[in-house]
Amino acid sequence: QVQLVQSGAEVKKPGASVKVSCKVSGYTLTELSMHWVRQAPGKGLEWMGGFDPEDGETIYAQKFQGRVTMTEDTSTDTAYMELSSLRSEDTAVYYCATEDTYYFDYWGQGTLVTVSS
Amino acid sequence: QSALTQPPSASGSPGQSVTISCTGTSSDVGGYNYVSWYQQHPGKAPKLMIYEVSKRPSGVPDRFSGSKSGNTASLTVSGLQAEDEADYYCSSYAGSNNRNVFGTGTKVTVL
């Protein structure tokens, strides 16, 4: 059984960056395809990007390209999502989730990122 | 990539059925059999309910079923129970560039 445990809530100022972590247990990160999904307050789910096992590369939604970086530390089975140039519209709960043939089967508990001056 | 279209709300009495639609295009829902559905209770992470249009993960009650016709996918919850009251989101593969797109979400209320 895969378990994903994310880092705690963050408060950032506009223009800053935030890095959210997602620790995997039950499997190794190399066995999984990790993706990131966010949800603004009262809004729907939005896919941000993740690892594409077909290409062996990380792919990003067009909306976030140039501003988001997703990395993995296989020595600690921890995935990271860093979002830069934060603005108020980036206030959201950020989820890590594992992907299996284009569906998300395991989810982290979510990390609230608040962007406020 | 635009979000898939879902009705904002749906409701039914206990024991009744409710069906939620998810409308996309031939570039996503209509083009692939990779539609999935997620249930989300307030303050909780989404939970996978249906994948590949109509398959149920282990542990999901068979009251939940999925189907697709053309560019529209549907989730049916039969024998509604109080614990089914939640937000539901569809998702579809949308090609190698956009990969995954979610629906706008539907709030299901059990009357």
Side-chain angles (χ1 to χ4, degrees):
Chain A
Q1 184 81 346
V2 176
Q3 287 193 316
L4 308 177
V5 178
Q6 300 183 221
S7 48
E10 303 260 14
V11 179
K12 296 291 182 180
K13 293 192 181 303
S17 297
V18 68
K19 192 170 186 177
V20 179
S21 68
C22 174
K23 168 75 173 171
V24 174
S25 62
Y27 276 71
T28 63
L29 195 48
T30 55
E31 297 175 284
L32 303 169
S33 176
M34 190 65 72
H35 286 240
W36 293 84
V37 176
R38 78 175 186 180
Q39 185 173 36
K43 302 296 185 182
L45 302 171
E46 183 175 30
W47 176 75
M48 299 180 68
F51 183 75
D52 183 349
E54 295 177 10
D55 294 339
E57 295 184 353
T58 299
I59 53 174
Y60 302 117
Q62 200 167 8
K63 175 177 179 177
F64 300 102
Q65 281 182 2
R67 219 164 53 94
V68 69
T69 304
M70 297 172 187
T71 56
E72 297 180 350
D73 183 344
T74 55
S75 68
T76 61
D77 288 320
T78 303
Y80 298 92
M81 186 284 300
E82 183 170 21
L83 188 62
S84 62
S85 303
L86 290 170
R87 36 213 189 222
S88 58
E89 310 89 88
D90 294 318
T91 294
V93 175
Y94 289 77
Y95 294 101
C96 58
T98 59
E99 189 204 53
D100 186 342
T101 322
Y102 313 124
Y103 60 90
F104 304 106
D105 46 1
Y106 297 98
W107 294 71
Q109 84 275 20
T111 296
L112 175 62
V113 175
T114 302
V115 182
S116 174
S117 55
Chain B
Q1 180 68 34
S2 299
L4 307 175
T5 301
Q6 297 180 233
S9 63
S11 63
S13 299
Q16 289 186 331
S17 295
V18 65
T19 297
I20 303 165
S21 62
C22 169
T23 302
T25 69
S26 58
S27 296
D28 38 63
V29 174
Y32 310 94
N33 287 321
Y34 291 122
V35 176
S36 51
W37 290 90
Y38 304 86
Q39 177 191 65
Q40 186 180 35
H41 287 109
K44 300 295 187 182
K47 175 187 175 183
L48 177 68
M49 305 302 283
I50 295 287
Y51 66 100
E52 292 176 9
V53 177
S54 60
K55 297 178 181 178
R56 273 180 292 106
S58 173
V60 172
D62 59 6
R63 302 185 292 104
F64 292 85
S65 62
S67 63
K68 190 187 86 165
S69 178
N71 296 336
T72 298
S74 298
L75 173 72
T76 297
V77 185
S78 305
L80 268 175
Q81 298 183 6
E83 60 261 35
D84 300 332
E85 185 162 295
D87 293 325
Y88 291 83
Y89 293 91
C90 63
S91 179
S92 174
Y93 177 67
S96 57
N97 287 335
N98 295 301
R99 194 170 181 87
N100 294 291
V101 61
F102 282 99
T104 50
T106 298
K107 181 175 180 60
V108 169
T109 301
V110 180
L111 302 171

Short mmCIF file of all heavy atoms in Angstrom, two decimals, chain A residues 54 99-104, chain B residues 4 22 27-38 48 50-55 67-68 70 73 89-96 99-102:
data_model
loop_
_atom_site.label_atom_id
_atom_site.label_comp_id
_atom_site.label_asym_id
_atom_site.label_seq_id
_atom_site.Cartn_x
_atom_site.Cartn_y
_atom_site.Cartn_z
N GLU A 54 6.66 6.98 -20.03
CA GLU A 54 6.86 6.62 -21.44
C GLU A 54 8.09 7.33 -22.00
O GLU A 54 8.84 6.76 -22.78
CB GLU A 54 5.62 6.98 -22.25
CG GLU A 54 4.39 6.16 -21.86
CD GLU A 54 3.16 6.60 -22.65
OE1 GLU A 54 3.30 7.38 -23.59
OE2 GLU A 54 2.05 6.14 -22.29
N GLU A 99 0.35 8.38 -10.36
CA GLU A 99 -0.43 8.15 -11.57
C GLU A 99 -0.19 6.73 -12.09
O GLU A 99 0.95 6.27 -12.14
CB GLU A 99 -0.06 9.15 -12.66
CG GLU A 99 -0.99 9.10 -13.86
CD GLU A 99 -0.37 9.62 -15.14
OE1 GLU A 99 0.72 9.15 -15.53
OE2 GLU A 99 -1.00 10.51 -15.77
N ASP A 100 -1.29 6.09 -12.49
CA ASP A 100 -1.20 4.76 -13.10
C ASP A 100 -2.08 4.77 -14.34
O ASP A 100 -3.29 4.78 -14.22
CB ASP A 100 -1.66 3.69 -12.12
CG ASP A 100 -1.44 2.28 -12.64
OD1 ASP A 100 -1.25 2.10 -13.86
OD2 ASP A 100 -1.47 1.34 -11.83
N THR A 101 -1.51 4.78 -15.50
CA THR A 101 -2.24 4.78 -16.77
C THR A 101 -3.31 5.88 -16.79
O THR A 101 -4.49 5.62 -17.00
CB THR A 101 -2.89 3.41 -17.08
OG1 THR A 101 -2.02 2.36 -16.67
CG2 THR A 101 -3.13 3.29 -18.58
N TYR A 102 -2.85 7.08 -16.51
CA TYR A 102 -3.66 8.29 -16.66
C TYR A 102 -4.77 8.44 -15.62
O TYR A 102 -5.76 9.14 -15.86
CB TYR A 102 -4.23 8.41 -18.07
CG TYR A 102 -3.19 8.16 -19.14
CD1 TYR A 102 -3.39 7.18 -20.12
CD2 TYR A 102 -2.00 8.88 -19.17
CE1 TYR A 102 -2.43 6.93 -21.09
CE2 TYR A 102 -1.04 8.63 -20.14
CZ TYR A 102 -1.26 7.66 -21.09
OH TYR A 102 -0.31 7.42 -22.05
N TYR A 103 -4.66 7.76 -14.48
CA TYR A 103 -5.52 8.05 -13.36
C TYR A 103 -4.67 8.11 -12.10
O TYR A 103 -3.57 7.55 -12.05
CB TYR A 103 -6.65 7.01 -13.21
CG TYR A 103 -6.19 5.59 -12.97
CD1 TYR A 103 -5.98 5.10 -11.68
CD2 TYR A 103 -5.99 4.71 -14.04
CE1 TYR A 103 -5.57 3.79 -11.47
CE2 TYR A 103 -5.58 3.40 -13.83
CZ TYR A 103 -5.37 2.95 -12.55
OH TYR A 103 -4.97 1.67 -12.34
N PHE A 104 -5.20 8.81 -11.09
CA PHE A 104 -4.44 9.06 -9.86
C PHE A 104 -4.98 8.17 -8.75
O PHE A 104 -6.11 8.33 -8.31
CB PHE A 104 -4.54 10.54 -9.47
CG PHE A 104 -4.07 11.45 -10.57
CD1 PHE A 104 -4.97 12.19 -11.31
CD2 PHE A 104 -2.72 11.57 -10.87
CE1 PHE A 104 -4.54 13.01 -12.34
CE2 PHE A 104 -2.28 12.39 -11.89
CZ PHE A 104 -3.20 13.11 -12.63
N LEU B 4 -13.07 20.03 -18.23
CA LEU B 4 -14.24 19.30 -18.67
C LEU B 4 -15.47 19.87 -17.96
O LEU B 4 -15.36 20.35 -16.82
CB LEU B 4 -14.07 17.81 -18.34
CG LEU B 4 -12.77 17.17 -18.87
CD1 LEU B 4 -12.65 15.73 -18.39
CD2 LEU B 4 -12.73 17.25 -20.39
N CYS B 22 -20.06 14.43 -17.60
CA CYS B 22 -18.73 15.04 -17.75
C CYS B 22 -18.50 15.19 -19.26
O CYS B 22 -18.24 14.20 -19.94
CB CYS B 22 -17.70 14.14 -17.10
SG CYS B 22 -15.97 14.55 -17.44
N SER B 27 -10.78 15.46 -28.29
CA SER B 27 -9.36 15.49 -27.95
C SER B 27 -9.10 14.95 -26.55
O SER B 27 -7.94 14.75 -26.16
CB SER B 27 -8.82 16.93 -28.03
OG SER B 27 -8.89 17.40 -29.36
N ASP B 28 -10.15 14.74 -25.78
CA ASP B 28 -9.96 14.19 -24.43
C ASP B 28 -10.94 13.05 -24.19
O ASP B 28 -10.66 11.91 -24.54
CB ASP B 28 -10.03 15.27 -23.35
CG ASP B 28 -11.09 16.34 -23.62
OD1 ASP B 28 -12.28 15.97 -23.68
OD2 ASP B 28 -10.74 17.51 -23.78
N VAL B 29 -12.11 13.34 -23.62
CA VAL B 29 -13.07 12.28 -23.26
C VAL B 29 -13.39 11.39 -24.45
O VAL B 29 -13.37 10.16 -24.35
CB VAL B 29 -14.36 12.89 -22.68
CG1 VAL B 29 -15.40 11.78 -22.45
CG2 VAL B 29 -14.08 13.62 -21.37
N GLY B 30 -13.70 12.00 -25.58
CA GLY B 30 -14.12 11.23 -26.75
C GLY B 30 -13.02 10.49 -27.45
O GLY B 30 -13.28 9.55 -28.20
N GLY B 31 -11.79 10.87 -27.19
CA GLY B 31 -10.67 10.30 -27.93
C GLY B 31 -9.97 9.13 -27.26
O GLY B 31 -9.20 8.41 -27.88
N TYR B 32 -10.24 8.96 -25.97
CA TYR B 32 -9.53 7.92 -25.20
C TYR B 32 -10.46 7.30 -24.17
O TYR B 32 -11.37 7.94 -23.66
CB TYR B 32 -8.33 8.53 -24.46
CG TYR B 32 -7.42 9.38 -25.31
CD1 TYR B 32 -7.60 10.76 -25.38
CD2 TYR B 32 -6.38 8.82 -26.03
CE1 TYR B 32 -6.77 11.55 -26.16
CE2 TYR B 32 -5.55 9.60 -26.81
CZ TYR B 32 -5.75 10.97 -26.87
OH TYR B 32 -4.92 11.75 -27.63
N ASN B 33 -10.19 6.05 -23.84
CA ASN B 33 -10.94 5.39 -22.76
C ASN B 33 -10.17 5.51 -21.45
O ASN B 33 -9.94 4.53 -20.74
CB ASN B 33 -11.19 3.92 -23.11
CG ASN B 33 -12.24 3.78 -24.19
OD1 ASN B 33 -13.23 4.52 -24.21
ND2 ASN B 33 -12.03 2.85 -25.09
N TYR B 34 -9.79 6.75 -21.13
CA TYR B 34 -9.03 7.02 -19.91
C TYR B 34 -9.74 8.10 -19.09
O TYR B 34 -9.16 9.11 -18.71
CB TYR B 34 -7.61 7.46 -20.25
CG TYR B 34 -6.74 6.36 -20.83
CD1 TYR B 34 -6.16 6.51 -22.08
CD2 TYR B 34 -6.54 5.18 -20.13
CE1 TYR B 34 -5.36 5.49 -22.62
CE2 TYR B 34 -5.75 4.16 -20.66
CZ TYR B 34 -5.17 4.32 -21.91
OH TYR B 34 -4.39 3.32 -22.42
N VAL B 35 -11.01 7.83 -18.79
CA VAL B 35 -11.78 8.72 -17.92
C VAL B 35 -11.77 8.15 -16.51
O VAL B 35 -11.97 6.94 -16.32
CB VAL B 35 -13.23 8.87 -18.41
CG1 VAL B 35 -14.04 9.73 -17.42
CG2 VAL B 35 -13.26 9.51 -19.80
N SER B 36 -11.51 8.99 -15.55
CA SER B 36 -11.54 8.57 -14.15
C SER B 36 -12.43 9.53 -13.35
O SER B 36 -12.70 10.65 -13.78
CB SER B 36 -10.13 8.53 -13.55
OG SER B 36 -9.42 9.73 -13.80
N TRP B 37 -12.89 9.04 -12.20
CA TRP B 37 -13.76 9.82 -11.31
C TRP B 37 -13.22 9.80 -9.89
O TRP B 37 -12.72 8.77 -9.42
CB TRP B 37 -15.18 9.23 -11.32
CG TRP B 37 -15.92 9.44 -12.61
CD1 TRP B 37 -15.94 8.62 -13.70
CD2 TRP B 37 -16.77 10.55 -12.93
NE1 TRP B 37 -16.74 9.16 -14.68
CE2 TRP B 37 -17.26 10.33 -14.24
CE3 TRP B 37 -17.17 11.70 -12.25
CZ2 TRP B 37 -18.13 11.22 -14.87
CZ3 TRP B 37 -18.04 12.59 -12.87
CH2 TRP B 37 -18.51 12.34 -14.17
N TYR B 38 -13.35 10.95 -9.21
CA TYR B 38 -12.84 11.10 -7.86
C TYR B 38 -13.92 11.67 -6.95
O TYR B 38 -14.69 12.54 -7.35
CB TYR B 38 -11.61 12.04 -7.86
CG TYR B 38 -10.54 11.54 -8.79
CD1 TYR B 38 -10.56 11.87 -10.13
CD2 TYR B 38 -9.54 10.69 -8.33
CE1 TYR B 38 -9.62 11.38 -11.02
CE2 TYR B 38 -8.58 10.19 -9.21
CZ TYR B 38 -8.63 10.54 -10.53
OH TYR B 38 -7.69 10.03 -11.41
N LEU B 48 -9.98 8.00 -5.58
CA LEU B 48 -10.31 7.39 -6.86
C LEU B 48 -11.52 6.46 -6.72
O LEU B 48 -11.52 5.56 -5.88
CB LEU B 48 -9.11 6.60 -7.38
CG LEU B 48 -9.30 5.83 -8.69
CD1 LEU B 48 -9.48 6.80 -9.86
CD2 LEU B 48 -8.11 4.89 -8.93
N ILE B 50 -13.52 5.54 -9.94
CA ILE B 50 -13.65 4.86 -11.23
C ILE B 50 -12.41 5.20 -12.07
O ILE B 50 -11.97 6.35 -12.06
CB ILE B 50 -14.91 5.30 -11.99
CG1 ILE B 50 -16.19 4.90 -11.25
CG2 ILE B 50 -14.92 4.75 -13.43
CD1 ILE B 50 -16.51 3.42 -11.30
N TYR B 51 -11.88 4.23 -12.80
CA TYR B 51 -10.81 4.51 -13.74
C TYR B 51 -11.08 3.78 -15.06
O TYR B 51 -11.88 2.84 -15.10
CB TYR B 51 -9.44 4.12 -13.15
CG TYR B 51 -9.24 2.64 -12.92
CD1 TYR B 51 -8.52 1.86 -13.83
CD2 TYR B 51 -9.75 2.01 -11.78
CE1 TYR B 51 -8.33 0.52 -13.61
CE2 TYR B 51 -9.56 0.66 -11.56
CZ TYR B 51 -8.85 -0.08 -12.47
OH TYR B 51 -8.65 -1.43 -12.27
N GLU B 52 -10.43 4.26 -16.10
CA GLU B 52 -10.63 3.69 -17.45
C GLU B 52 -12.11 3.52 -17.76
O GLU B 52 -12.57 2.45 -18.15
CB GLU B 52 -9.85 2.38 -17.57
CG GLU B 52 -8.34 2.62 -17.56
CD GLU B 52 -7.51 1.35 -17.58
OE1 GLU B 52 -8.07 0.25 -17.77
OE2 GLU B 52 -6.28 1.45 -17.40
N VAL B 53 -12.84 4.57 -17.57
CA VAL B 53 -14.27 4.75 -17.86
C VAL B 53 -15.19 4.02 -16.89
O VAL B 53 -16.14 4.60 -16.37
CB VAL B 53 -14.61 4.33 -19.32
CG1 VAL B 53 -16.11 4.44 -19.57
CG2 VAL B 53 -13.83 5.16 -20.33
N SER B 54 -14.92 2.72 -16.65
CA SER B 54 -15.92 1.94 -15.92
C SER B 54 -15.35 0.95 -14.91
O SER B 54 -16.10 0.15 -14.35
CB SER B 54 -16.80 1.18 -16.92
OG SER B 54 -16.00 0.30 -17.70
N LYS B 55 -14.05 0.99 -14.67
CA LYS B 55 -13.44 0.04 -13.73
C LYS B 55 -13.42 0.61 -12.32
O LYS B 55 -13.15 1.79 -12.11
CB LYS B 55 -12.02 -0.30 -14.19
CG LYS B 55 -11.97 -0.98 -15.55
CD LYS B 55 -10.54 -1.25 -15.98
CE LYS B 55 -10.51 -1.92 -17.34
NZ LYS B 55 -9.11 -2.16 -17.81
N SER B 67 -19.62 5.16 -17.28
CA SER B 67 -19.86 4.85 -18.68
C SER B 67 -19.43 6.03 -19.53
O SER B 67 -19.09 7.09 -19.01
CB SER B 67 -21.34 4.52 -18.92
OG SER B 67 -22.14 5.66 -18.62
N LYS B 68 -19.45 5.83 -20.83
CA LYS B 68 -19.08 6.91 -21.76
C LYS B 68 -19.82 6.73 -23.07
O LYS B 68 -19.99 5.60 -23.56
CB LYS B 68 -17.57 6.89 -22.00
CG LYS B 68 -17.04 8.12 -22.74
CD LYS B 68 -15.58 7.96 -23.10
CE LYS B 68 -15.39 7.23 -24.40
NZ LYS B 68 -14.02 7.36 -24.95
N GLY B 70 -19.61 8.91 -26.75
CA GLY B 70 -19.06 10.05 -27.48
C GLY B 70 -18.14 10.88 -26.61
O GLY B 70 -17.22 10.36 -25.98
N ALA B 73 -18.84 11.48 -20.57
CA ALA B 73 -18.74 10.38 -19.63
C ALA B 73 -19.75 10.61 -18.50
O ALA B 73 -20.18 11.75 -18.26
CB ALA B 73 -17.33 10.28 -19.06
N TYR B 89 -15.34 14.72 -9.11
CA TYR B 89 -14.61 15.28 -10.24
C TYR B 89 -14.30 14.19 -11.25
O TYR B 89 -13.88 13.09 -10.88
CB TYR B 89 -13.28 15.90 -9.79
CG TYR B 89 -13.43 17.12 -8.91
CD1 TYR B 89 -13.49 17.00 -7.53
CD2 TYR B 89 -13.52 18.39 -9.47
CE1 TYR B 89 -13.63 18.12 -6.72
CE2 TYR B 89 -13.65 19.52 -8.67
CZ TYR B 89 -13.71 19.36 -7.30
OH TYR B 89 -13.85 20.48 -6.51
N CYS B 90 -14.49 14.51 -12.53
CA CYS B 90 -14.03 13.60 -13.57
C CYS B 90 -12.66 14.07 -14.04
O CYS B 90 -12.24 15.20 -13.76
CB CYS B 90 -15.00 13.54 -14.74
SG CYS B 90 -15.23 15.11 -15.63
N SER B 91 -11.96 13.19 -14.73
CA SER B 91 -10.67 13.53 -15.30
C SER B 91 -10.49 12.69 -16.55
O SER B 91 -11.03 11.58 -16.65
CB SER B 91 -9.54 13.25 -14.31
OG SER B 91 -8.28 13.57 -14.87
N SER B 92 -9.74 13.22 -17.51
CA SER B 92 -9.49 12.48 -18.74
C SER B 92 -8.07 12.72 -19.22
O SER B 92 -7.51 13.80 -19.03
CB SER B 92 -10.47 12.90 -19.83
OG SER B 92 -10.16 12.29 -21.07
N TYR B 93 -7.51 11.70 -19.86
CA TYR B 93 -6.27 11.88 -20.59
C TYR B 93 -6.59 12.80 -21.77
O TYR B 93 -7.66 12.68 -22.38
CB TYR B 93 -5.75 10.53 -21.08
CG TYR B 93 -4.50 10.62 -21.90
CD1 TYR B 93 -3.29 11.03 -21.34
CD2 TYR B 93 -4.49 10.27 -23.25
CE1 TYR B 93 -2.13 11.10 -22.10
CE2 TYR B 93 -3.34 10.33 -24.02
CZ TYR B 93 -2.16 10.74 -23.44
OH TYR B 93 -1.01 10.81 -24.19
N ALA B 94 -5.66 13.71 -22.07
CA ALA B 94 -5.94 14.69 -23.11
C ALA B 94 -4.77 14.80 -24.10
O ALA B 94 -4.54 15.86 -24.68
CB ALA B 94 -6.23 16.05 -22.48
N GLY B 95 -4.03 13.71 -24.25
CA GLY B 95 -2.94 13.74 -25.21
C GLY B 95 -1.61 14.01 -24.54
O GLY B 95 -1.55 14.43 -23.40
N SER B 96 -0.54 13.79 -25.27
CA SER B 96 0.79 13.85 -24.68
C SER B 96 1.17 15.24 -24.20
O SER B 96 1.93 15.39 -23.25
CB SER B 96 1.83 13.35 -25.69
OG SER B 96 1.78 14.12 -26.88
N ARG B 99 -1.91 15.97 -21.30
CA ARG B 99 -1.93 14.76 -20.48
C ARG B 99 -3.19 14.56 -19.64
O ARG B 99 -3.93 13.63 -19.85
CB ARG B 99 -0.70 14.65 -19.59
CG ARG B 99 -0.52 13.26 -19.00
CD ARG B 99 0.79 13.11 -18.35
NE ARG B 99 0.97 11.77 -17.80
CZ ARG B 99 1.44 10.74 -18.50
NH1 ARG B 99 1.77 10.90 -19.76
NH2 ARG B 99 1.58 9.56 -17.93
N ASN B 100 -3.41 15.39 -18.63
CA ASN B 100 -4.55 15.20 -17.73
C ASN B 100 -5.36 16.48 -17.59
O ASN B 100 -4.80 17.55 -17.34
CB ASN B 100 -4.07 14.77 -16.35
CG ASN B 100 -3.41 13.41 -16.35
OD1 ASN B 100 -4.04 12.39 -16.56
ND2 ASN B 100 -2.10 13.40 -16.16
N VAL B 101 -6.67 16.36 -17.73
CA VAL B 101 -7.55 17.50 -17.50
C VAL B 101 -8.68 17.06 -16.58
O VAL B 101 -9.20 15.95 -16.68
CB VAL B 101 -8.10 18.05 -18.84
CG1 VAL B 101 -8.92 17.01 -19.57
CG2 VAL B 101 -8.90 19.31 -18.61
N PHE B 102 -9.04 17.93 -15.63
CA PHE B 102 -10.11 17.64 -14.68
C PHE B 102 -11.40 18.32 -15.09
O PHE B 102 -11.40 19.29 -15.85
CB PHE B 102 -9.72 18.12 -13.28
CG PHE B 102 -8.76 17.21 -12.57
CD1 PHE B 102 -7.40 17.50 -12.55
CD2 PHE B 102 -9.20 16.08 -11.90
CE1 PHE B 102 -6.50 16.68 -11.90
CE2 PHE B 102 -8.31 15.25 -11.25
CZ PHE B 102 -6.96 15.55 -11.25
#
